[in-house]
């Protein structure tokens, strides 16, 4: 991808890829598994350190009509859980080996339970983030949740999360953040150079791409 236009077109393709073809291809190429997550409150580094691909799921947007999803949630419930259910029961998330549901709200807590019932052969992991930030309370609780996550990921992938693999993952995602910060800094100085629509597509691409690929793109 040597031109900006090629990068934007690649990002558009990934945005439209609600059946996660990229994920299926990545799994086949790397002989590894993929873990979906609702993209807030969860450190993707742990998934990557276990040799799996973390995949951010943000629903189907206007690319999908919600029909079956409304059988699980009232129609006044927000679009995300209804859309994610629709994608799941229609096979669009079949390439995922599990899903992480962070503690966003009570609806997402219920969604994690639904996932266990609907897809018993796949991992459904509810990640409960602490509200108390005292090291002795919230800190210990968070440590326990992350340790539980690591154990589940290691069992899924058959690969241990070592100090080396975790350090490598943290460095890759720190580089990702650094590159994004530079793009935002440039946009502050010259917003006409980076339209909002293109910036959004670039950010969305990072939820599905291998972080190494996204860093090259950035």
């Amino acid at each position: 991808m040597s031109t900006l236009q090629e990068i934007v077109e690649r990002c558009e393709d990934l945005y439209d890829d609600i059946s996660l073809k990229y994920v299926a291809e990545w799994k086949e190429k790397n002989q590894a598994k993929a873990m979906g997550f609702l993209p807030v409150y969860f450190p993707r580094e742990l998934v990557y350190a276990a040799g799996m691909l973390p995949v951010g799921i943000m629903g189907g947007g206007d690319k999908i009509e919600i029909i079956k999803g409304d059988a699980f949630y009232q129609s006044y419930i927000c679009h995300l859980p209804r859309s994610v259910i629709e994608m799941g029961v229609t096979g669009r998330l079949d390439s995922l080996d599990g899903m992480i549901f962070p503690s966003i709200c009570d609806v997402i807590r219920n969604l994690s339970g639904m996932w266990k019932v609907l897809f018993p052969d796949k991992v459904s992991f509810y990640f409960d983030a602490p509200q108390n930030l005292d090291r002795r309370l919230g800190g210990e609780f968070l440590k326990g949740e992350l340790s539980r996550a690591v154990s589940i990921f290691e069992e899924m992938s058959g690969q241990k999360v070592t100090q080396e693999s975790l350090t490598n993952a943290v460095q890759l995602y720190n580089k990702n953040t650094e590159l994004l910060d530079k793009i935002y800094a440039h946009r502050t100085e010259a917003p006409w150079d980076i339209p909002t629509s293109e910036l959004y597509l670039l950010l969305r691409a990072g939820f599905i791409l291998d972080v190494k690929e996204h860093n090259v793109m950035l």
Side-chain angles (χ1 to χ4, degrees), residues 2-13:
S2 58
T3 69
L4 179 60
Q5 184 60 36
E6 287 174 327
I7 291 175
V8 171
E9 289 175 358
R10 172 64 169 149
C11 290
E12 288 177 339
D13 289 341

Side-chain angles (χ1 to χ4, degrees), residues 44-105:
R44 294 176 285 176
E45 293 88 341
L46 293 183
V47 177
Y48 200 81
M52 298 189 293
L53 179 69
V55 182
I57 303 299
M58 298 186 71
D62 59 359
K63 306 292 181 183
I64 185 173
E65 183 179 2
I66 299 175
I67 300 174
K68 296 181 179 180
D70 282 342
F72 294 85
Y73 283 111
Q74 303 92 326
S75 58
Y76 60 79
I77 294 295
C78 75
H79 178 272
L80 180 63
R82 294 188 296 115
S83 181
V84 170
I85 282 285
E86 186 74 27
M87 293 172 72
V89 297
T90 55
R92 291 178 170 90
L93 302 181
D94 283 356
S95 58
L96 299 178
D97 299 285
M99 280 286 291
I100 300 165
F101 299 97
S103 53
I104 308 170
C105 63

Side-chain angles (χ1 to χ4, degrees), residues 115 124 157 160 167 182 189:
W115 219 257
S124 175
S157 67
K160 295 289 291 182
T167 298
K182 289 182 178 180
E189 297 297 324

